[in-house]
Amino acid sequence: MPPSIRRERALSDNQDYLARSRAAVWHPCTQMKRHESLPIVPVASADGAYLVDFDGRRILDAVSSWWVNLFGHKEPRIRAAIVRQLETLDHVMLAGFTHRPVVELSERLAALTGLGHAFYASDGASATEIALKMSFHYWKNMGAPGKTRFVSLEGSYHGESAGALAVTDVPLFSATYAPLIRQNFTAPTPDAREARTGESAADVARRAAVSLDNLLCKHHQEIAALIVEPLVQGAAGMVMYDAEYLRQARALCDRYRVHLIADEIAVGFGRTGTLFACEQAGIRPDLLCLSKGITGGTLPLSCVLSTDDIYAAFYDDDVSRGFLHSHSYTGNAAACAAALAVLDIFESDDVLARNRVREAEISAALAPLAAHPAVKSFRHTGQIWAFDVPGAPAGFAGLCFERMLAAGFLLRPIGQTVYLMPPYVVSAAEMAALAEALAAVLDTLPAGAPTTAVALP
Ligand SMILES: *Cc1c(COP(=O)(O)O)cnc(C)c1O
């Protein structure tokens, strides 16, 4: 609609983009009819930890724009790296061609993880697909073609393409597509909230590992890989568990000749306090999936890192033993340049050390909220804080989203779980203000039937 017509109708830019978006854009993860009442938020610009709408209203992005934005919006160094890259090489196909950013990024990720071979795609679900296909194909190349199935944890989320949904245990996302999805195995979650009286989080982990042992013992001949979200199961509602589970899982995978795939798409790049979550267990996976924070929330990129052993199983004169998988934008030069800038910032700003200080300050700022009578199972790992509101009325997630938005904060509760996953530039004072607004929302919760775990669309 031309600006003149818009002015005649006296719509603000916010209302204008809201209406046009509803008509022309099919939004992700959304029942569009709900936007008859639930607002779509038009964003004109973003800066640091804030989104800004067309009226200049600032909203604190406390979920890092779906967990991707590490250092705030418009980080000048990442922006400069992308611009610099676009001035020399924007993109070239990666089959048969290579370029400086993809080589340097692969070398640096190898040095950081001990996994020496980097395969690229553009989003998290594709990284999951690649890891699953690689694992299956490895066993086929090794003369074990019967290993065709996978194990994931209860409540797991590894993306929403048909292959990734086969290892995603979130019925809201997978149930509808059941006829399209391969049946796999689900192992009990080591969720620390499952602790019985006298049990520690590590005890829960060991108990869950016994179930995994039984499952692998019985079915290992048909299982190619176990896929886990290390330390925090994000989409399940920030389910946190002890690193002991990863150590046990690593040992069991070795014993039963099953790959361990670490999906660090959400937890990688400092989110749990270490650069990668697996470091806290002192283990190395066979395949590591990275995305989300990898470009600091600027450009789409994902990566699957693999061991020398897996790589070697594909290296052959026979073409069909190779990994014949590709995406058009595989290894995009601008995205790789953004990822290199992100790694530079981790080094130059000593991000992990500074985050440890921020973590303590933010935890202190959230202490009054943690003590609110409606808040249960307040928990945190690194730069993720979460709690449950078991008595919340139906529609709590949407209600909390709307009320917090009105107060200037972006939160997206998952069912009865509220989580905070802010960019690493947010201050303790800003989080204290958020906690105060959130406590006020909890104070005024309408009474009603307890909600079932329905995610905000
Ligand atoms: C977000 C996410 C994915 C999927 O990534 P997309 O880029 O949304 O496809 C996979 N695994 C985990 C753990 C995630 O959080």
Side-chain angles (χ1 to χ4, degrees):
M1 193 185 302
S4 57
I5 297 177
R6 208 189 309 151
R7 237 173 272 121
E8 268 172 37
R9 292 191 184 172
L11 283 181
S12 77
D13 280 341
N14 273 338
Q15 289 170 320
D16 179 50
Y17 282 111
L18 193 159
R20 286 162 63 192
S21 196
R22 212 160 48 194
V25 182
W26 198 337
H27 289 265
C29 202
T30 299
Q31 169 48 268
M32 288 300 293
K33 191 162 193 290
R34 281 197 70 186
H35 280 311
E36 286 178 7
S37 55
L38 199 71
I40 297 174
V41 187
V43 175
S45 64
D47 197 359
Y50 289 86
L51 306 172
V52 187
D53 75 6
F54 288 87
D55 294 336
R57 207 172 74 93
R58 290 161 67 78
I59 301 161
L60 182 75
D61 184 356
V63 298
S64 299
S65 292
W66 254 353
W67 321 347
V68 301
N69 190 279
L70 296 188
F71 304 121
H73 295 272
K74 276 201 320 207
E75 209 293 330
R77 290 164 290 182
I78 303 176
R79 212 153 39 122
I82 294 170
V83 170
R84 233 180 4 254
Q85 184 56 43
L86 290 178
E87 280 163 359
T88 50
L89 171 69
D90 44 8
H91 177 73
V92 63
M93 60 194 280
L94 202 65
F97 294 82
T98 195
H99 52 79
R100 182 191 61 80
V102 80
V103 171
E104 286 185 12
L105 180 60
S106 306
E107 289 173 350
R108 285 176 73 174
L109 290 174
L112 290 166
T113 62
L115 296 165
H117 309 275
F119 197 101
Y120 293 92
S122 316
D123 57 67
S126 299
T128 297
E129 299 281 347
I130 288 163
L132 299 179
K133 282 177 70 180
M134 256 183 197
S135 175
F136 159 77
H137 197 167
Y138 169 93
W139 294 115
K140 182 169 152 59
N141 283 351
M142 297 296 281
K147 284 162 105 50
T148 61
R149 300 175 76 186
F150 302 96
V151 183
S152 68
L153 300 184
E154 230 176 290
S156 58
Y157 180 92
H158 299 289
E160 294 172 53
S161 51
L165 274 180
V167 288
T168 287
D169 181 38
V170 180
L172 183 67
F173 301 141
S174 60
T176 305
Y177 308 102
L180 308 182
I181 297 170
R182 270 182 66 82
Q183 273 299 302
N184 282 305
F185 297 103
T186 309
T189 167
D191 185 347
R193 290 173 302 181
E194 302 282 315
R196 298 168 187 158
T197 321
E199 257 189 348
S200 67
D203 292 331
V204 181
R206 279 185 282 270
R207 189 146 53 76
V210 170
S211 300
L212 178 63
D213 191 346
N214 294 337
L215 175 65
L216 293 180
C217 180
K218 198 161 162 206
H219 295 287
H220 65 93
Q221 278 167 337
E222 44 179 324
I223 293 173
L226 163 70
I227 182 166
V228 297
E229 296 160 84
L231 297 187
V232 184
Q233 295 182 273
M238 300 302 157
V239 169
M240 299 182 185
Y241 64 89
D242 195 271
E244 177 63 15
Y245 186 78
L246 298 172
R247 280 188 288 274
Q248 301 258 345
R250 176 68 277 178
L252 292 170
C253 285
D254 287 341
R255 186 184 322 151
Y256 292 110
R257 285 178 31 97
V258 164
H259 287 138
L260 177 61
I261 303 172
D263 174 353
E264 296 222 15
I265 289 166
V267 296
F269 297 98
R271 214 20 107 172
T272 65
T274 42
L275 189 61
F276 299 111
C278 282
E279 294 168 27
Q280 294 183 42
I283 60 136
R284 202 185 65 183
D286 300 293
L287 293 160
L288 175 63
C289 300
L290 302 175
S291 189
K292 289 203 164 104
I294 193 169
T295 63
T298 55
L299 290 170
L301 181 70
S302 65
C303 180
V304 178
L305 295 159
S306 74
T307 58
D308 292 345
D309 175 48
I310 289 178
Y311 181 74
F314 291 80
Y315 200 82
D316 199 88
D317 291 326
D318 180 353
V319 172
S320 72
R321 285 177 66 100
F323 192 58
L324 307 185
H325 180 107
S326 66
H327 298 282
S328 315
Y329 281 97
T330 295
N332 175 259
C336 289
L340 285 167
V342 164
L343 293 179
D344 285 344
I345 292 173
F346 269 99
E347 279 178 23
S348 64
D349 291 4
D350 205 358
V351 170
L352 297 176
R354 282 162 75 161
N355 275 0
R356 275 192 290 278
V357 176
R358 194 193 317 281
E359 184 182 328
E361 288 172 354
I362 291 177
S363 291
L366 298 179
L369 176 65
H372 191 283
V375 169
K376 297 286 178 290
S377 302
F378 190 92
R379 54 196 182 272
H380 108 269
T381 300
Q383 301 290 310
I384 308 172
W385 291 264
F387 61 86
D388 305 328
V389 187
F396 166 72
L399 186 96
C400 183
F401 166 77
E402 273 191 86
R403 297 230 179 129
M404 287 302 285
L405 192 64
F409 300 96
L410 169 54
L411 288 186
R412 282 177 63 97
I414 301 171
Q416 302 180 332
T417 298
V418 179
Y419 72 88
L420 311 173
M421 204 155 161
Y424 305 159
V425 295
V426 78
S427 72
E430 288 166 318
M431 294 302 277
L434 182 155
E436 205 175 306
L438 195 46
V441 171
L442 296 177
D443 282 342
T444 61
L445 276 185
T451 174
T452 47
V454 174
L456 182 74

